CSV table of all heavy atoms in Angstrom, one decimal:
chain,number,residue,atom,x,y,z
B,531,ASP,N,-9.9,-8.7,10.9
B,531,ASP,CA,-10.9,-7.6,10.5
B,531,ASP,C,-11.8,-7.1,11.6
B,531,ASP,O,-12.1,-5.9,11.7
B,531,ASP,CB,-11.8,-8.1,9.3
B,531,ASP,CG,-11.1,-7.9,8.0
B,531,ASP,OD1,-10.0,-7.3,8.0
B,531,ASP,OD2,-11.6,-8.4,7.0
B,594,ALA,N,-15.1,3.0,7.8
B,594,ALA,CA,-15.3,2.6,6.4
B,594,ALA,C,-16.6,1.9,6.2
B,594,ALA,O,-17.1,1.2,7.1
B,594,ALA,CB,-14.2,1.7,6.0
B,600,ILE,N,-4.9,-2.0,1.0
B,600,ILE,CA,-3.6,-1.3,1.1
B,600,ILE,C,-2.6,-1.9,0.2
B,600,ILE,O,-2.5,-3.1,0.0
B,600,ILE,CB,-3.2,-1.2,2.6
B,600,ILE,CG1,-2.1,-0.2,2.8
B,600,ILE,CG2,-2.7,-2.6,3.1
B,600,ILE,CD1,-1.7,0.0,4.3
B,675,GLY,N,-7.9,-7.0,-4.9
B,675,GLY,CA,-6.9,-8.0,-5.0
B,675,GLY,C,-6.0,-7.8,-6.2
B,675,GLY,O,-5.2,-8.7,-6.6
B,679,ALA,N,1.3,-1.1,-10.0
B,679,ALA,CA,2.7,-0.9,-10.5
B,679,ALA,C,2.9,0.5,-10.8
B,679,ALA,O,2.0,1.3,-11.2
B,679,ALA,CB,2.9,-1.8,-11.8
B,700,THR,N,6.3,-2.7,-7.9
B,700,THR,CA,5.0,-3.4,-7.9
B,700,THR,C,4.6,-3.9,-6.6
B,700,THR,O,5.5,-4.2,-5.8
B,700,THR,CB,5.0,-4.6,-9.0
B,700,THR,OG1,5.9,-5.6,-8.5
B,700,THR,CG2,5.4,-4.1,-10.3
Side-chain angles (χ1 to χ4, degrees):
D531 274 353
I600 192 172
T700 65

